[in-house]
Amino acid sequence: AGFFDAVEVAHGADITAKKEAKEFIERMDRGDSFMTTSCCAGYNQLIKKHLNEIKPFVSDTKTPLFYCAKEVKEQNCENIVVFISPCVAKRAEGFEDNNIDYVMSAQELSCLFKAKEIEVNMCKESYFSAEASKQGRNFGVITGVSEAVKSALREDFDKSKIKPFVINGLNKDTIKQLKKFALEKTTPDNSNLIEVMSCQGGCVAGNSTINPIKLSQKLINDLVQKSSDIEKISETNFFQEFNY
C-alpha cells in the first residue's frame, strides 16, 4: 500500500502508562484530589474549547501517538509518519504535533486496500520487531488505560490507594459530571484516577472504525492474552531494534 514499515502505537501506550503512573504518585503526594487521563484526543479538544475548569486535574503526560511519532522521527527526521486512526479527533492532534505528518482513518485505509486490491486476510502474517505489552495493547478498550496505569505503578507503591473512576463516553451528563468534579475538587467514593473516553466503549467505538465493537474487543482480547505484562517491556527496546 506504499508504506515502508509499520510501528505499533501500543508501544507509545506503554510509555504513556509508565509516565502517568509516575505522575499519579507525584500528584497524590502533593495533595491533589484526583487526576484524569490525557490520551483521548476528543477529550483533549473538549478541555481546550469547553471544559477549561478540569485542566488543572488533567495529566501532563502525552498521548501514545505523541511518544511513538517522536521516537520514529528521532530515528530519522526524513521519516514520514502516518497515523492510522480510529477517530477523526486525532486529526487535530496531528495538526498540533510536528512529528505527525498525516492522519489516516481506519475507513480511509480500508478504501486504500480496496483500491489496490489488497485482501488483508490473505496476506502473510508478520510480526513487529518487538512486541508491546498487554496493557498497552488494551488502551483502546474502556478501563484499559486505568488498568495500564495501575499495572505500571512502582512495586513499593500501595496499589490499594489508586481508585479508578471511568467516564465511558462524553455526553451532556458526563461533561456536567466532570465540571462538578473540577469545581468541587472531589469525586464519588473519593476516586482519584479518572479515565475519560469520548466514545462509549473506548477507541474500539471510534467514529472511523470499520468493525463492530464486540468483534474489535474480541480481537484485542485475543492479542492481549498472548502479550507480556508492562513491567517486562522496556520503553526503548522497540525503537532500538527498529531498523530504518
Side-chain angles (χ1 to χ4, degrees), residues 7-24 26 35 37-40 44 58-76 79 81 83 90 93-94 96-100 132 136 139 145 149 230 234-240 242 244:
V7 176
E8 190 175 12
V9 77
H11 262 285
D14 288 335
I15 298 174
T16 293
K18 290 179 180 181
K19 290 185 180 295
E20 279 201 338
K22 181 181 178 182
E23 184 183 355
F24 173 79
E26 291 172 349
M35 180 185 86
T37 56
S38 58
C39 60
C40 175
N44 291 337
V58 179
S59 168
D60 294 322
T61 300
K62 304 298 184 182
T63 69
L65 171 56
F66 173 89
Y67 293 115
C68 206
K70 178 175 179 289
E71 295 289 348
V72 171
K73 283 290 190 180
E74 286 180 351
Q75 288 287 332
N76 186 340
N79 287 328
V81 176
F83 177 62
K90 279 294 184 183
E93 183 176 348
E96 296 168 355
D97 188 340
N98 291 332
N99 289 323
I100 304 166
F139 245 56
V145 179
V149 173
I230 194 167
S234 165
E235 286 188 13
T236 58
N237 79 338
F238 169 75
F239 300 109
Q240 287 176 345
F242 196 81
Y244 293 89

Short mmCIF file of all heavy atoms in Angstrom, two decimals, residues 7-24 26 35 37-40 44 58-76 79 81 83 90 93-94 96-100 132 136 139 145 149 230 234-240 242 244:
data_model
loop_
_atom_site.label_atom_id
_atom_site.label_comp_id
_atom_site.label_asym_id
_atom_site.label_seq_id
_atom_site.Cartn_x
_atom_site.Cartn_y
_atom_site.Cartn_z
N VAL A 7 4.67 0.64 12.67
CA VAL A 7 5.07 0.80 14.07
C VAL A 7 3.84 0.60 14.95
O VAL A 7 2.78 1.15 14.67
CB VAL A 7 5.65 2.22 14.31
CG1 VAL A 7 5.99 2.42 15.77
CG2 VAL A 7 6.87 2.45 13.43
N GLU A 8 3.99 -0.18 15.99
CA GLU A 8 2.86 -0.47 16.88
C GLU A 8 2.71 0.66 17.89
O GLU A 8 3.52 0.82 18.80
CB GLU A 8 3.08 -1.80 17.60
CG GLU A 8 1.85 -2.27 18.35
CD GLU A 8 2.06 -3.66 18.95
OE1 GLU A 8 3.20 -4.15 18.98
OE2 GLU A 8 1.05 -4.25 19.39
N VAL A 9 1.64 1.44 17.75
CA VAL A 9 1.46 2.60 18.63
C VAL A 9 1.22 2.17 20.08
O VAL A 9 1.34 2.98 21.00
CB VAL A 9 0.30 3.49 18.11
CG1 VAL A 9 -1.05 2.87 18.44
CG2 VAL A 9 0.41 4.90 18.67
N ALA A 10 0.92 0.92 20.30
CA ALA A 10 0.77 0.41 21.67
C ALA A 10 2.07 0.55 22.46
O ALA A 10 2.05 0.60 23.69
CB ALA A 10 0.32 -1.06 21.65
N HIS A 11 3.21 0.61 21.75
CA HIS A 11 4.47 0.88 22.45
C HIS A 11 4.44 2.29 23.04
O HIS A 11 4.95 2.53 24.14
CB HIS A 11 5.67 0.74 21.50
CG HIS A 11 6.34 -0.59 21.62
ND1 HIS A 11 7.14 -0.91 22.68
CD2 HIS A 11 6.31 -1.67 20.82
CE1 HIS A 11 7.59 -2.15 22.52
NE2 HIS A 11 7.10 -2.62 21.41
N GLY A 12 3.85 3.23 22.31
CA GLY A 12 3.67 4.56 22.86
C GLY A 12 2.74 4.54 24.06
O GLY A 12 2.91 5.30 25.02
N ALA A 13 1.74 3.64 24.03
CA ALA A 13 0.82 3.50 25.16
C ALA A 13 1.56 2.98 26.39
O ALA A 13 1.26 3.38 27.52
CB ALA A 13 -0.32 2.56 24.78
N ASP A 14 2.53 2.10 26.18
CA ASP A 14 3.35 1.63 27.31
C ASP A 14 4.08 2.79 27.97
O ASP A 14 4.14 2.90 29.20
CB ASP A 14 4.38 0.59 26.83
CG ASP A 14 3.74 -0.75 26.48
OD1 ASP A 14 2.66 -1.04 27.01
OD2 ASP A 14 4.33 -1.49 25.68
N ILE A 15 4.61 3.68 27.15
CA ILE A 15 5.32 4.85 27.68
C ILE A 15 4.34 5.76 28.41
O ILE A 15 4.62 6.25 29.51
CB ILE A 15 6.05 5.61 26.55
CG1 ILE A 15 7.10 4.71 25.90
CG2 ILE A 15 6.69 6.88 27.08
CD1 ILE A 15 7.78 5.31 24.69
N THR A 16 3.18 6.00 27.81
CA THR A 16 2.17 6.84 28.44
C THR A 16 1.77 6.28 29.80
O THR A 16 1.68 7.02 30.79
CB THR A 16 0.92 6.96 27.54
OG1 THR A 16 1.26 7.69 26.36
CG2 THR A 16 -0.22 7.68 28.26
N ALA A 17 1.52 4.97 29.86
CA ALA A 17 1.10 4.35 31.12
C ALA A 17 2.16 4.50 32.20
O ALA A 17 1.84 4.82 33.36
CB ALA A 17 0.78 2.88 30.89
N LYS A 18 3.42 4.30 31.84
CA LYS A 18 4.50 4.40 32.83
C LYS A 18 4.67 5.84 33.31
O LYS A 18 4.89 6.08 34.51
CB LYS A 18 5.80 3.87 32.23
CG LYS A 18 5.80 2.36 32.01
CD LYS A 18 7.09 1.87 31.39
CE LYS A 18 7.06 0.36 31.19
NZ LYS A 18 8.32 -0.16 30.60
N LYS A 19 4.57 6.78 32.40
CA LYS A 19 4.72 8.18 32.80
C LYS A 19 3.51 8.65 33.61
O LYS A 19 3.66 9.43 34.57
CB LYS A 19 4.91 9.05 31.55
CG LYS A 19 6.27 8.86 30.88
CD LYS A 19 6.48 9.83 29.73
CE LYS A 19 7.83 9.63 29.06
NZ LYS A 19 8.95 9.95 29.96
N GLU A 20 2.31 8.20 33.25
CA GLU A 20 1.13 8.59 34.02
C GLU A 20 1.16 7.96 35.41
O GLU A 20 0.70 8.58 36.38
CB GLU A 20 -0.15 8.21 33.29
CG GLU A 20 -0.54 9.21 32.22
CD GLU A 20 -2.01 9.15 31.83
OE1 GLU A 20 -2.65 8.10 32.06
OE2 GLU A 20 -2.51 10.14 31.28
N ALA A 21 1.69 6.75 35.53
CA ALA A 21 1.80 6.11 36.84
C ALA A 21 2.73 6.92 37.75
O ALA A 21 2.41 7.16 38.92
CB ALA A 21 2.33 4.68 36.68
N LYS A 22 3.85 7.36 37.20
CA LYS A 22 4.78 8.19 37.97
C LYS A 22 4.14 9.52 38.34
O LYS A 22 4.26 9.99 39.49
CB LYS A 22 6.05 8.43 37.15
CG LYS A 22 7.11 9.25 37.87
CD LYS A 22 8.34 9.46 36.99
CE LYS A 22 9.37 10.33 37.71
NZ LYS A 22 10.56 10.58 36.86
N GLU A 23 3.45 10.13 37.38
CA GLU A 23 2.81 11.42 37.63
C GLU A 23 1.70 11.29 38.66
O GLU A 23 1.51 12.18 39.50
CB GLU A 23 2.26 11.99 36.32
CG GLU A 23 1.66 13.38 36.48
CD GLU A 23 1.04 13.93 35.20
OE1 GLU A 23 1.16 13.26 34.14
OE2 GLU A 23 0.45 15.01 35.27
N PHE A 24 0.95 10.19 38.61
CA PHE A 24 -0.13 9.97 39.57
C PHE A 24 0.41 9.98 41.00
O PHE A 24 -0.16 10.63 41.89
CB PHE A 24 -0.83 8.64 39.27
CG PHE A 24 -1.86 8.25 40.30
CD1 PHE A 24 -3.12 8.83 40.29
CD2 PHE A 24 -1.56 7.31 41.28
CE1 PHE A 24 -4.06 8.47 41.25
CE2 PHE A 24 -2.50 6.95 42.23
CZ PHE A 24 -3.76 7.53 42.22
N GLU A 26 3.16 11.36 42.07
CA GLU A 26 3.62 12.72 42.39
C GLU A 26 2.46 13.62 42.76
O GLU A 26 2.54 14.41 43.72
CB GLU A 26 4.38 13.29 41.19
CG GLU A 26 5.72 12.61 40.93
CD GLU A 26 6.37 13.07 39.63
OE1 GLU A 26 5.69 13.76 38.84
OE2 GLU A 26 7.55 12.73 39.42
N MET A 35 -6.65 12.84 39.44
CA MET A 35 -6.01 13.12 38.16
C MET A 35 -6.81 12.42 37.08
O MET A 35 -7.22 11.28 37.25
CB MET A 35 -4.56 12.60 38.15
CG MET A 35 -3.81 12.86 36.84
SD MET A 35 -2.14 12.11 36.82
CE MET A 35 -2.54 10.43 36.26
N THR A 37 -6.97 11.05 33.01
CA THR A 37 -6.07 10.61 31.94
C THR A 37 -6.06 11.66 30.83
O THR A 37 -6.90 12.57 30.81
CB THR A 37 -6.52 9.25 31.38
OG1 THR A 37 -7.90 9.35 30.94
CG2 THR A 37 -6.41 8.17 32.45
N SER A 38 -5.12 11.51 29.89
CA SER A 38 -4.93 12.55 28.86
C SER A 38 -4.71 11.98 27.46
O SER A 38 -4.23 12.68 26.58
CB SER A 38 -3.73 13.42 29.24
OG SER A 38 -2.56 12.62 29.38
N CYS A 39 -5.07 10.72 27.25
CA CYS A 39 -4.75 10.08 25.97
C CYS A 39 -5.83 10.24 24.90
O CYS A 39 -5.57 10.01 23.72
CB CYS A 39 -4.44 8.60 26.17
SG CYS A 39 -5.82 7.68 26.89
N CYS A 40 -7.05 10.64 25.29
CA CYS A 40 -8.15 10.72 24.34
C CYS A 40 -8.14 12.08 23.65
O CYS A 40 -8.30 13.13 24.28
CB CYS A 40 -9.48 10.50 25.05
SG CYS A 40 -10.92 10.72 23.99
N ASN A 44 -9.28 15.86 24.97
CA ASN A 44 -8.31 16.96 25.00
C ASN A 44 -8.84 18.20 24.28
O ASN A 44 -8.62 19.33 24.71
CB ASN A 44 -6.98 16.51 24.38
CG ASN A 44 -6.26 15.49 25.24
OD1 ASN A 44 -6.48 15.42 26.45
ND2 ASN A 44 -5.40 14.69 24.63
N VAL A 58 -5.91 17.43 34.80
CA VAL A 58 -5.59 16.54 33.67
C VAL A 58 -4.11 16.21 33.68
O VAL A 58 -3.26 17.08 33.88
CB VAL A 58 -5.97 17.19 32.33
CG1 VAL A 58 -5.63 16.28 31.17
CG2 VAL A 58 -7.45 17.54 32.31
N SER A 59 -3.79 14.95 33.44
CA SER A 59 -2.40 14.52 33.39
C SER A 59 -1.61 15.31 32.34
O SER A 59 -2.13 15.62 31.27
CB SER A 59 -2.34 13.03 33.05
OG SER A 59 -1.02 12.63 32.73
N ASP A 60 -0.37 15.65 32.69
CA ASP A 60 0.51 16.34 31.74
C ASP A 60 1.18 15.37 30.77
O ASP A 60 1.87 15.80 29.85
CB ASP A 60 1.60 17.12 32.50
CG ASP A 60 1.01 18.26 33.32
OD1 ASP A 60 0.07 18.91 32.84
OD2 ASP A 60 1.49 18.48 34.45
N THR A 61 1.00 14.08 31.00
CA THR A 61 1.61 13.07 30.14
C THR A 61 1.00 13.13 28.74
O THR A 61 -0.20 13.37 28.57
CB THR A 61 1.39 11.67 30.74
OG1 THR A 61 1.99 11.62 32.04
CG2 THR A 61 2.00 10.58 29.86
N LYS A 62 1.84 12.91 27.74
CA LYS A 62 1.38 12.98 26.35
C LYS A 62 0.71 11.67 25.92
O LYS A 62 0.74 10.67 26.63
CB LYS A 62 2.56 13.30 25.43
CG LYS A 62 3.31 14.57 25.77
CD LYS A 62 2.42 15.80 25.66
CE LYS A 62 3.22 17.06 25.90
NZ LYS A 62 2.37 18.29 25.85
N THR A 63 0.15 11.70 24.72
CA THR A 63 -0.58 10.54 24.20
C THR A 63 0.37 9.47 23.66
O THR A 63 1.53 9.74 23.35
CB THR A 63 -1.52 10.96 23.06
OG1 THR A 63 -0.73 11.35 21.93
CG2 THR A 63 -2.41 12.12 23.48
N PRO A 64 -0.12 8.24 23.51
CA PRO A 64 0.70 7.19 22.88
C PRO A 64 1.20 7.60 21.50
O PRO A 64 2.34 7.31 21.13
CB PRO A 64 -0.27 6.01 22.80
CG PRO A 64 -1.18 6.20 23.96
CD PRO A 64 -1.38 7.69 24.05
N LEU A 65 0.35 8.28 20.72
CA LEU A 65 0.75 8.74 19.39
C LEU A 65 1.93 9.70 19.49
O LEU A 65 2.87 9.63 18.68
CB LEU A 65 -0.43 9.40 18.68
CG LEU A 65 -0.14 10.12 17.37
CD1 LEU A 65 0.53 9.20 16.37
CD2 LEU A 65 -1.43 10.72 16.79
N PHE A 66 1.91 10.60 20.45
CA PHE A 66 2.98 11.57 20.63
C PHE A 66 4.32 10.87 20.81
O PHE A 66 5.30 11.18 20.12
CB PHE A 66 2.70 12.47 21.84
CG PHE A 66 3.84 13.38 22.20
CD1 PHE A 66 3.96 14.64 21.63
CD2 PHE A 66 4.82 12.98 23.11
CE1 PHE A 66 5.02 15.48 21.96
CE2 PHE A 66 5.89 13.81 23.44
CZ PHE A 66 5.99 15.05 22.87
N TYR A 67 4.38 9.91 21.73
CA TYR A 67 5.66 9.25 22.03
C TYR A 67 6.11 8.38 20.87
O TYR A 67 7.30 8.30 20.57
CB TYR A 67 5.53 8.42 23.31
CG TYR A 67 5.32 9.26 24.53
CD1 TYR A 67 4.14 9.19 25.26
CD2 TYR A 67 6.28 10.18 24.96
CE1 TYR A 67 3.92 9.99 26.38
CE2 TYR A 67 6.09 10.98 26.08
CZ TYR A 67 4.90 10.88 26.78
OH TYR A 67 4.70 11.68 27.87
N CYS A 68 5.17 7.73 20.21
CA CYS A 68 5.52 6.86 19.08
C CYS A 68 6.07 7.70 17.93
O CYS A 68 7.13 7.39 17.36
CB CYS A 68 4.28 6.10 18.65
SG CYS A 68 4.64 4.53 17.85
N ALA A 69 5.37 8.77 17.56
CA ALA A 69 5.80 9.62 16.45
C ALA A 69 7.14 10.29 16.77
O ALA A 69 8.02 10.41 15.89
CB ALA A 69 4.74 10.68 16.17
N LYS A 70 7.32 10.72 17.99
CA LYS A 70 8.56 11.38 18.41
C LYS A 70 9.77 10.45 18.22
O LYS A 70 10.80 10.85 17.67
CB LYS A 70 8.45 11.79 19.88
CG LYS A 70 9.70 12.45 20.48
CD LYS A 70 9.40 12.91 21.90
CE LYS A 70 10.64 13.56 22.54
NZ LYS A 70 11.68 12.56 22.85
N GLU A 71 9.62 9.21 18.64
CA GLU A 71 10.73 8.26 18.53
C GLU A 71 11.03 7.93 17.07
O GLU A 71 12.19 7.79 16.68
CB GLU A 71 10.42 6.99 19.33
CG GLU A 71 10.32 7.19 20.83
CD GLU A 71 11.67 7.47 21.46
OE1 GLU A 71 12.70 7.30 20.77
OE2 GLU A 71 11.71 7.87 22.63
N VAL A 72 9.98 7.79 16.26
CA VAL A 72 10.19 7.47 14.85
C VAL A 72 10.95 8.61 14.15
O VAL A 72 11.87 8.38 13.37
CB VAL A 72 8.84 7.19 14.14
CG1 VAL A 72 9.04 7.09 12.64
CG2 VAL A 72 8.23 5.91 14.68
N LYS A 73 10.56 9.84 14.45
CA LYS A 73 11.24 11.00 13.85
C LYS A 73 12.67 11.13 14.35
O LYS A 73 13.57 11.54 13.59
CB LYS A 73 10.46 12.28 14.16
CG LYS A 73 9.21 12.47 13.33
CD LYS A 73 9.54 12.79 11.86
CE LYS A 73 8.28 13.22 11.12
NZ LYS A 73 8.56 13.53 9.70
N GLU A 74 12.91 10.79 15.61
CA GLU A 74 14.26 10.90 16.16
C GLU A 74 15.19 9.87 15.54
O GLU A 74 16.40 10.09 15.42
CB GLU A 74 14.23 10.76 17.68
CG GLU A 74 13.68 12.00 18.38
CD GLU A 74 13.65 11.86 19.89
OE1 GLU A 74 13.91 10.75 20.39
OE2 GLU A 74 13.36 12.87 20.57
N GLN A 75 14.63 8.74 15.12
CA GLN A 75 15.44 7.73 14.44
C GLN A 75 15.90 8.26 13.08
O GLN A 75 17.03 8.04 12.66
CB GLN A 75 14.63 6.44 14.27
CG GLN A 75 14.41 5.66 15.54
CD GLN A 75 15.66 4.96 16.02
OE1 GLN A 75 16.52 4.61 15.22
NE2 GLN A 75 15.77 4.77 17.32
N ASN A 76 15.00 8.95 12.41
CA ASN A 76 15.33 9.53 11.10
C ASN A 76 14.34 10.65 10.82
O ASN A 76 13.15 10.41 10.62
CB ASN A 76 15.25 8.46 10.00
CG ASN A 76 15.71 8.98 8.65
OD1 ASN A 76 15.76 10.18 8.41
ND2 ASN A 76 16.05 8.06 7.75
N ASN A 79 11.74 10.46 8.00
CA ASN A 79 10.61 9.54 8.02
C ASN A 79 9.29 10.31 7.95
O ASN A 79 9.13 11.35 8.61
CB ASN A 79 10.61 8.70 9.30
CG ASN A 79 11.70 7.65 9.29
OD1 ASN A 79 12.05 7.12 8.25
ND2 ASN A 79 12.23 7.33 10.46
N VAL A 81 5.54 10.19 8.94
CA VAL A 81 4.70 9.47 9.91
C VAL A 81 3.23 9.60 9.54
O VAL A 81 2.70 10.70 9.44
CB VAL A 81 4.93 10.03 11.33
CG1 VAL A 81 3.98 9.35 12.32
CG2 VAL A 81 6.38 9.82 11.76
N PHE A 83 -0.37 8.25 10.90
CA PHE A 83 -1.07 7.54 11.97
C PHE A 83 -2.39 7.01 11.45
O PHE A 83 -3.20 7.75 10.89
CB PHE A 83 -1.32 8.48 13.16
CG PHE A 83 -2.10 7.83 14.28
CD1 PHE A 83 -1.60 6.74 14.95
CD2 PHE A 83 -3.35 8.33 14.65
CE1 PHE A 83 -2.32 6.13 15.97
CE2 PHE A 83 -4.07 7.74 15.67
CZ PHE A 83 -3.55 6.64 16.34
N LYS A 90 -8.17 12.67 16.18
CA LYS A 90 -6.71 12.59 16.10
C LYS A 90 -6.16 13.51 15.01
O LYS A 90 -4.97 13.84 15.01
CB LYS A 90 -6.27 11.15 15.82
CG LYS A 90 -6.23 10.26 17.07
CD LYS A 90 -5.16 10.73 18.05
CE LYS A 90 -5.05 9.79 19.24
NZ LYS A 90 -4.07 10.28 20.23
N GLU A 93 -4.88 16.51 16.75
CA GLU A 93 -3.57 16.25 17.35
C GLU A 93 -2.49 16.27 16.27
O GLU A 93 -1.37 16.75 16.51
CB GLU A 93 -3.57 14.91 18.08
CG GLU A 93 -2.26 14.62 18.79
CD GLU A 93 -2.27 13.35 19.61
OE1 GLU A 93 -3.36 12.78 19.83
OE2 GLU A 93 -1.18 12.91 20.04
N GLY A 94 -2.81 15.75 15.10
CA GLY A 94 -1.85 15.75 14.01
C GLY A 94 -1.44 17.15 13.60
O GLY A 94 -0.27 17.42 13.32
N GLU A 96 -1.34 19.69 15.52
CA GLU A 96 -0.63 20.31 16.64
C GLU A 96 0.76 19.73 16.88
O GLU A 96 1.54 20.31 17.64
CB GLU A 96 -1.47 20.18 17.91
CG GLU A 96 -2.80 20.93 17.85
CD GLU A 96 -3.74 20.54 18.97
OE1 GLU A 96 -3.39 19.63 19.74
OE2 GLU A 96 -4.82 21.16 19.08
N ASP A 97 1.08 18.61 16.27
CA ASP A 97 2.34 17.90 16.53
C ASP A 97 3.15 17.82 15.23
O ASP A 97 2.73 17.16 14.28
CB ASP A 97 2.04 16.50 17.07
CG ASP A 97 3.28 15.77 17.56
OD1 ASP A 97 4.41 16.15 17.16
OD2 ASP A 97 3.13 14.82 18.35
N ASN A 98 4.31 18.46 15.21
CA ASN A 98 5.14 18.47 14.01
C ASN A 98 5.71 17.11 13.64
O ASN A 98 6.18 16.91 12.52
CB ASN A 98 6.29 19.47 14.18
CG ASN A 98 5.81 20.91 14.19
OD1 ASN A 98 4.79 21.23 13.60
ND2 ASN A 98 6.54 21.77 14.89
N ASN A 99 5.68 16.16 14.59
CA ASN A 99 6.19 14.82 14.31
C ASN A 99 5.18 13.95 13.57
O ASN A 99 5.52 12.87 13.11
CB ASN A 99 6.61 14.12 15.61
CG ASN A 99 7.85 14.73 16.21
OD1 ASN A 99 8.77 15.13 15.49
ND2 ASN A 99 7.91 14.80 17.53
N ILE A 100 3.95 14.43 13.48
CA ILE A 100 2.89 13.68 12.79
C ILE A 100 2.62 14.35 11.44
O ILE A 100 2.19 15.49 11.39
CB ILE A 100 1.60 13.64 13.63
CG1 ILE A 100 1.88 13.06 15.02
CG2 ILE A 100 0.52 12.83 12.91
CD1 ILE A 100 0.76 13.29 16.01
N ALA A 132 4.60 -4.99 22.02
CA ALA A 132 4.10 -4.12 23.08
C ALA A 132 3.46 -4.98 24.17
O ALA A 132 3.23 -6.17 24.00
CB ALA A 132 3.09 -3.13 22.52
N GLY A 136 -0.62 -2.02 27.14
CA GLY A 136 -0.55 -1.03 26.07
C GLY A 136 -1.50 -1.36 24.93
O GLY A 136 -2.15 -0.47 24.36
N PHE A 139 -5.26 -0.36 25.56
CA PHE A 139 -5.58 1.05 25.79
C PHE A 139 -6.89 1.46 25.13
O PHE A 139 -7.59 2.33 25.64
CB PHE A 139 -4.45 1.93 25.23
CG PHE A 139 -3.69 2.71 26.28
CD1 PHE A 139 -3.09 2.05 27.34
CD2 PHE A 139 -3.55 4.08 26.19
CE1 PHE A 139 -2.38 2.76 28.30
CE2 PHE A 139 -2.86 4.80 27.13
CZ PHE A 139 -2.26 4.15 28.20
N VAL A 145 -7.00 1.96 30.02
CA VAL A 145 -5.99 2.96 30.38
C VAL A 145 -5.74 2.95 31.88
O VAL A 145 -4.60 2.89 32.34
CB VAL A 145 -6.42 4.37 29.92
CG1 VAL A 145 -5.37 5.40 30.34
CG2 VAL A 145 -6.61 4.40 28.41
N VAL A 149 -2.24 2.02 33.87
CA VAL A 149 -1.57 2.90 34.83
C VAL A 149 -1.38 2.18 36.16
O VAL A 149 -0.30 2.24 36.77
CB VAL A 149 -2.38 4.20 35.04
CG1 VAL A 149 -1.79 5.04 36.17
CG2 VAL A 149 -2.41 5.01 33.75
N ILE A 230 3.33 -5.24 31.34
CA ILE A 230 4.02 -3.99 31.06
C ILE A 230 5.36 -3.88 31.77
O ILE A 230 6.29 -3.26 31.25
CB ILE A 230 3.11 -2.79 31.42
CG1 ILE A 230 3.68 -1.50 30.81
CG2 ILE A 230 2.90 -2.68 32.92
CD1 ILE A 230 2.70 -0.33 30.84
N SER A 234 10.48 -2.71 27.98
CA SER A 234 11.32 -1.52 28.10
C SER A 234 10.74 -0.40 27.25
O SER A 234 10.18 -0.64 26.18
CB SER A 234 12.75 -1.83 27.65
OG SER A 234 13.47 -0.64 27.42
N GLU A 235 10.89 0.85 27.73
CA GLU A 235 10.40 1.99 26.95
C GLU A 235 11.16 2.15 25.64
O GLU A 235 10.68 2.71 24.69
CB GLU A 235 10.54 3.28 27.76
CG GLU A 235 9.53 3.42 28.87
CD GLU A 235 9.58 4.78 29.53
OE1 GLU A 235 10.23 5.68 28.96
OE2 GLU A 235 8.98 4.96 30.59
N THR A 236 12.38 1.63 25.59
CA THR A 236 13.21 1.89 24.43
C THR A 236 13.49 0.64 23.58
O THR A 236 14.04 0.78 22.50
CB THR A 236 14.57 2.47 24.88
OG1 THR A 236 15.20 1.57 25.78
CG2 THR A 236 14.37 3.81 25.57
N ASN A 237 13.10 -0.54 24.06
CA ASN A 237 13.55 -1.73 23.33
C ASN A 237 13.02 -1.79 21.91
O ASN A 237 13.68 -2.26 21.01
CB ASN A 237 13.20 -3.02 24.10
CG ASN A 237 11.75 -3.45 23.94
OD1 ASN A 237 10.88 -2.64 23.63
ND2 ASN A 237 11.49 -4.71 24.18
N PHE A 238 11.81 -1.28 21.70
CA PHE A 238 11.26 -1.31 20.35
C PHE A 238 12.05 -0.42 19.41
O PHE A 238 12.45 -0.80 18.33
CB PHE A 238 9.80 -0.86 20.36
CG PHE A 238 9.25 -0.62 18.98
CD1 PHE A 238 8.93 -1.69 18.16
CD2 PHE A 238 9.10 0.65 18.49
CE1 PHE A 238 8.45 -1.47 16.88
CE2 PHE A 238 8.61 0.88 17.23
CZ PHE A 238 8.28 -0.19 16.42
N PHE A 239 12.30 0.79 19.86
CA PHE A 239 12.92 1.78 18.99
C PHE A 239 14.39 1.50 18.76
O PHE A 239 14.95 1.86 17.75
CB PHE A 239 12.70 3.18 19.57
CG PHE A 239 11.24 3.51 19.71
CD1 PHE A 239 10.64 3.58 20.94
CD2 PHE A 239 10.46 3.71 18.59
CE1 PHE A 239 9.30 3.87 21.06
CE2 PHE A 239 9.10 3.98 18.70
CZ PHE A 239 8.52 4.06 19.94
N GLN A 240 15.03 0.80 19.69
CA GLN A 240 16.41 0.42 19.48
C GLN A 240 16.53 -0.69 18.44
O GLN A 240 17.49 -0.77 17.70
CB GLN A 240 17.04 -0.04 20.80
CG GLN A 240 17.31 1.09 21.78
CD GLN A 240 17.84 0.60 23.11
OE1 GLN A 240 17.75 -0.57 23.43
NE2 GLN A 240 18.37 1.52 23.90
N PHE A 242 14.27 -1.30 16.00
CA PHE A 242 13.65 -0.98 14.71
C PHE A 242 14.70 -0.37 13.77
O PHE A 242 15.36 0.59 14.10
CB PHE A 242 12.51 0.02 14.93
CG PHE A 242 11.59 0.11 13.74
CD1 PHE A 242 10.60 -0.82 13.54
CD2 PHE A 242 11.71 1.16 12.84
CE1 PHE A 242 9.74 -0.72 12.47
CE2 PHE A 242 10.85 1.25 11.76
CZ PHE A 242 9.86 0.31 11.57
N TYR A 244 15.73 1.49 10.28
CA TYR A 244 15.23 2.31 9.19
C TYR A 244 16.24 2.30 8.04
O TYR A 244 17.43 2.29 8.28
CB TYR A 244 14.99 3.74 9.68
CG TYR A 244 13.87 3.83 10.67
CD1 TYR A 244 14.12 3.68 12.03
CD2 TYR A 244 12.56 4.04 10.25
CE1 TYR A 244 13.08 3.74 12.94
CE2 TYR A 244 11.53 4.12 11.16
CZ TYR A 244 11.80 3.96 12.51
OH TYR A 244 10.77 4.02 13.42
#
